[in-house]
Amino acid sequence: MEDFVELLQKHDELKIIQTPLDIYLEIPHLAYLEVKKPNGGKALLFTHPIDKKNNRTFNIPVLMNIFGSYSRLELIIDQPIQNIPDHLEKLIHFSPPKNWRGIFTQLRDFFALRHTLPKQIKKTPPSQEIIHIKESINLFDLPILTTWEKDGGAFITMGQVYTQSLDGKKRNLGMYRLQVYDKNHLGLHWQIHKDSNHFFHEYKKNNIKMPVSIGIGGDPLYTWCGQAPLPYGIYELMLYGFIKSASPKVAKCITNPLCVPHDADIVIEGWVDPNEIRLEGPFGDHTGFYTPIEPYPVLEVSAITHKKSPIYLATVVGKPPLEDKYMGYLTERVFLPLSQTTAHGLLDYHMPENGVFHNLLLAKIAPQYPGHARQIMHNFWGVGQMSFLKHAIFVDEKAPPLQDYKNITEYILNHFSTQNILISEGICDALDHSSPQYALGGKLGIDVSDGDECAQRDFELYSDCELLHLIKSLMEEALILRQYFTQTKNPICILGVQKSKRSILQACDSLQKLQNSLRIVIFVDANKNDLANLYMLVWRIANNIDAKRDIAIYKDMIFVDATDKNEYDHYKRQWPLETDCSLEVIESLREKGLLQDITEGFMKRFHICESPQT
């Protein structure tokens, strides 16, 4: 990490915070605000982390927000982002060379694949310059952060989790949160769909302890590789070699048989007893909501090793935008060529960060037959991590660029028809809170790829005040209203409501009388939403709906219930709280002179402390 810190300084991408700040909330809150600045702000190096509660200081600095901009991503991969998918596409679409020059070029490309194989070094690696075993093991010696007030404790948030199958033939690098229980035990939040969890069940079936090692720091690309959506059995660290054109160097751990990158700043080794399960959480996660307390495996730490001068790498998750905006973009670009091999006709896709990635996908295709878009939707919903996708909107090749949000939205609304909606069901992310059942819920597909605009219909457009007055006479729950894209053939009406003792979709039956003035109606809780803040509205809507339960269609009208759910919606799970910063901590940071460029408007735009009372 020291080399990367120097690189960040050289490119003016680093801000050094010398003010002593607490690992409890203060450091993560400042990083949370920094990444939301234009262009992702700067990486932050906290040189004096402290633990006020236990009156401790740390000599290990904390580094955050290293992935929080496109420019820093390119420093990490050491090349323009587009180079990687271009190289991958050349390998995928191999064609016989036409001359000697072509032969040598292709041989060079294929020979470079040798770098995907990790190389084990024999000498003592930098990651083992300092070794703690037995009684000297103490996780509390590391500046592990508590991000949110209601978190169950301190969590390692950028740990590279290395595991292997029972027979040792398959290896995995994942990135999972790790809760600190005490000085030598960690909770392992690997979800039911993850490769490490599949390995765990092999060990459990045979009643054998499972080795697990956690790398922190080293080359930042290791950390990105940990979240890469590779198929089961393909080792994510191989991506490092492909991208860097240099084999990742690994070293054997001291107390278990695993190998981790030799230059990791910190390594935590241990074993998991498959018969020991402990409650883990709650934790304010990347959805912007707390995930509940649930049982997960426990890692008993057998060694902690590190460099002589390690740097502790961490991230903060919560409401968008965050570092995952940029990490997810790199993942999108790198894996597009691979997705195209199984989704014929796919031209591009994009996952907006305020859709929390798995909640919303925009895709552009070249349709060649009826149902082509639906075919690719089902392809996505049935393959790997893309199967967590909840909502997909497909357009044709004539549509504007997918990241041109204003124009692509207008294009979609001018081509939208309730006849081209697909509602299905399948697995969803274990972190999803809106589904009626854990990890299983509705899927929504919208196909506007036929290229034909909607037929012109008689439409009586009202002002927001006039329309709200009409709706209030039909639906007592309605409180506030704002219309968007009224210049299109399918305007969107956002209706803020105060729920009563009935479901919103039952309450909205009477709105069918306004079919000449309503097309797409989305219901949100009036007390939690600023209807002028479209960015955060998209975040909440994408998070809060389950397509099978929360969508009703009447002729050309579609009603979407994006309110918090309760027993009147037949929702039997506990609806989660949002990740809100502590006002007390924000004021403390402001008093220290660290929030001079953070305005009240900034705080409201990203719902920093609490949902706006409208």
Side-chain angles (χ1 to χ4, degrees):
M1 288 263 74
E2 284 185 345
D3 291 342
F4 188 66
V5 166
E6 291 178 5
L7 186 65
L8 290 171
Q9 287 181 298
K10 179 181 177 181
H11 289 83
D12 193 28
E13 288 278 0
L14 181 70
K15 184 187 298 183
I16 298 176
I17 309 295
Q18 295 182 332
T19 306
L21 291 178
D22 200 345
I23 58 173
Y24 178 79
L25 302 185
E26 283 190 336
I27 289 176
H29 274 25
L30 189 57
Y32 185 67
L33 297 174
E34 182 71 22
V35 71
K36 297 177 187 301
K37 293 178 181 178
N39 301 315
K42 294 190 177 184
L44 301 179
L45 182 66
F46 299 91
T47 57
H48 294 90
I50 61 175
D51 178 359
K52 291 180 184 177
K53 180 180 179 182
N54 296 296
N55 195 28
R56 297 191 60 175
T57 61
F58 300 91
N59 58 7
I60 300 175
V62 176
L63 181 63
M64 301 188 74
N65 197 28
I66 64 170
F67 292 96
S69 74
Y70 298 116
S71 55
R72 291 198 289 282
L73 277 183
E74 295 196 340
L75 291 178
I76 290 169
I77 63 177
D78 196 25
Q79 60 187 300
I81 291 172
Q82 192 55 41
N83 281 9
I84 303 172
D86 287 349
H87 184 200
L88 186 58
E89 192 166 16
K90 282 174 62 179
L91 293 174
I92 291 171
H93 299 293
F94 172 80
S95 59
K98 296 180 179 179
N99 50 44
W100 284 105
R101 183 177 180 181
I103 291 173
F104 285 118
T105 298
Q106 290 191 347
L107 284 174
R108 182 189 63 198
D109 289 340
F110 279 98
F111 191 57
L113 292 177
R114 74 190 190 281
H115 297 306
T116 60
L117 300 176
K119 180 180 179 181
Q120 185 174 344
I121 63 171
K122 302 300 181 183
K123 62 181 182 180
T124 301
S127 61
Q128 294 175 5
E129 289 175 336
I130 305 296
I131 298 172
H132 302 278
I133 57 174
K134 297 181 179 179
E135 289 76 16
S136 65
I137 294 171
N138 190 356
L139 290 165
F140 296 118
D141 288 339
L142 303 176
I144 302 173
L145 308 177
T146 301
T147 306
W148 301 108
E149 285 184 286
K150 295 178 177 62
D151 279 356
F155 285 81
I156 296 171
T157 52
M158 271 202 162
Q160 311 150 32
V161 181
Y162 294 88
T163 56
Q164 67 181 23
S165 60
L166 181 61
D167 60 11
K169 293 180 180 180
K170 296 185 181 72
R171 289 170 289 174
N172 180 255
L173 163 57
M175 189 168 74
Y176 317 112
R177 73 186 195 224
L178 303 146
Q179 181 174 353
V180 179
Y181 290 133
D182 52 45
K183 69 176 186 177
N184 65 334
H185 289 92
L186 290 168
L188 288 166
H189 189 270
W190 50 40
Q191 298 154 29
I192 60 173
H193 306 112
K194 305 299 184 180
D195 289 357
S196 291
N197 193 51
H198 299 329
F199 292 167
F200 173 74
H201 285 291
E202 295 178 8
Y203 289 88
K204 186 173 184 178
K205 184 177 180 180
N206 290 274
N207 198 28
I208 296 174
K209 286 188 176 182
M210 176 178 178
V212 177
S213 290
I214 299 150
I216 299 173
D219 191 315
L221 189 56
Y222 303 143
T223 301
W224 176 83
C225 290
Q227 55 82 61
L230 284 172
Y232 175 73
I234 298 181
Y235 191 26
E236 289 79 3
L237 198 59
M238 295 171 67
L239 266 178
Y240 176 95
F242 177 78
I243 292 171
K244 288 288 184 94
S245 296
S247 297
K249 295 178 181 178
V250 298
K252 188 181 179 300
C253 292
I254 294 171
T255 60
N256 69 31
L258 301 172
C259 290
V260 301
H262 77 298
D263 58 340
D265 282 65
I266 301 165
V267 177
I268 301 170
E269 305 176 10
W271 296 84
V272 175
D273 183 341
N275 299 307
E276 183 179 3
I277 298 293
R278 230 186 261 192
L279 292 177
E280 188 267 1
F283 178 71
D285 222 309
H286 76 278
T287 59
F289 293 83
Y290 285 91
T291 49
I293 298 173
E294 293 175 321
Y296 277 94
V298 178
L299 175 71
E300 182 175 7
V301 178
S302 54
I304 298 176
T305 71
H306 56 79
K307 295 178 179 178
K308 289 180 180 177
S309 300
I311 295 173
Y312 180 79
L313 180 65
T315 190
V316 57
V317 291
K319 300 173 188 175
L322 294 169
E323 281 182 272
D324 57 8
K325 166 183 177 177
Y326 304 95
M327 297 176 77
Y329 176 78
L330 179 57
T331 302
E332 276 182 14
R333 295 304 95 196
V334 170
F335 285 89
L336 176 60
L338 289 174
S339 296
Q340 289 171 324
T341 63
T342 59
H344 172 68
L346 177 65
L347 302 176
D348 196 10
Y349 59 49
H350 173 59
M351 296 182 181
E353 79 272 4
N354 52 338
V356 198
F357 299 100
H358 59 268
N359 281 345
L360 178 62
L361 174 135
L362 306 175
K364 183 179 287 190
I365 68 170
Q368 297 178 11
Y369 40 79
H372 195 168
R374 297 183 182 219
Q375 181 188 46
I376 300 177
M377 289 175 193
H378 286 298
N379 173 288
F380 283 170
W381 288 333
V383 177
Q385 291 193 34
M386 194 68 88
S387 60
F388 302 148
L389 178 66
K390 287 177 63 177
H391 313 116
I393 304 175
F394 278 62
V395 299
D396 66 335
E397 65 267 51
K398 297 189 293 295
L402 299 179
Q403 294 189 61
D404 181 356
Y405 294 139
K406 178 180 181 296
N407 287 319
I408 192 64
T409 302
E410 289 184 358
Y411 188 89
I412 290 167
L413 293 175
N414 281 324
H415 293 74
F416 172 80
S417 167
T418 55
Q419 303 300 312
N420 292 324
I421 290 176
L422 172 64
I423 295 179
S424 184
E425 186 178 45
I427 68 167
C428 55
D429 195 299
L431 303 180
D432 182 72
H433 63 263
S434 65
S435 57
Q437 302 177 56
Y438 170 75
L440 177 66
K443 308 278 191 180
L444 171 66
I446 298 175
D447 178 10
V448 294
S449 67
D450 62 9
D452 296 329
E453 283 204 14
C454 306
Q456 191 65 46
R457 304 183 184 97
D458 292 332
F459 196 84
E460 191 172 1
L461 188 65
Y462 292 98
S463 70
D464 288 354
C465 289
E466 292 170 331
L467 186 56
L468 179 59
H469 179 73
L470 287 171
I471 291 176
K472 279 186 171 181
S473 68
L474 299 171
M475 183 180 176
E476 62 182 14
E477 289 87 349
L479 293 181
I480 54 177
L481 179 149
R482 186 175 180 120
Q483 297 177 90
Y484 284 96
F485 300 101
T486 54
Q487 74 279 18
T488 69
K489 296 178 180 178
N490 287 283
I492 297 174
C493 173
I494 307 292
L495 190 60
V497 299
Q498 181 176 354
K499 297 179 74 170
S500 61
K501 294 183 178 181
R502 59 177 178 172
S503 76
I504 286 298
L505 292 186
Q506 287 177 328
C508 75
D509 281 348
S510 58
L511 298 188
Q512 295 175 13
K513 297 176 181 178
L514 297 176
Q515 59 181 298
N516 290 330
S517 300
L518 295 173
R519 285 292 180 265
I520 301 171
V521 183
I522 303 175
F523 301 94
V524 297
D525 293 291
N527 68 322
K528 288 190 173 185
N529 292 276
D530 173 5
L531 300 196
N533 188 342
L534 193 54
Y535 182 88
M536 295 306 291
L537 280 170
V538 170
W539 164 75
R540 191 179 299 280
I541 292 164
N543 260 306
N544 276 13
I545 65 174
D546 178 86
K548 288 196 73 174
R549 179 194 60 223
D550 298 329
I551 292 177
I553 298 171
Y554 176 76
K555 296 184 178 179
D556 294 329
M557 305 168 68
I558 179 171
F559 300 103
V560 180
D561 178 7
T563 63
D564 294 2
K565 303 305 183 296
N566 56 35
E567 65 272 19
Y568 299 107
D569 304 298
H570 305 290
Y571 184 83
K572 298 179 181 179
R573 303 166 66 192
Q574 183 178 5
W575 196 263
L577 297 172
E578 298 174 24
T579 54
D580 294 325
C581 288
S582 161
L583 279 169
E584 182 181 350
V585 172
I586 293 294
E587 288 309 311
S588 172
L589 294 173
R590 201 177 292 281
E591 289 170 6
K592 291 178 170 69
L594 297 172
L595 300 183
Q596 293 178 347
D597 53 350
I598 301 297
T599 65
E600 190 63 30
F602 180 96
M603 300 285 285
K604 288 182 177 179
R605 169 164 168 71
F606 297 113
H607 294 195
I608 298 299
C609 287
E610 59 185 27
S611 299
Q613 301 297 312
T614 307

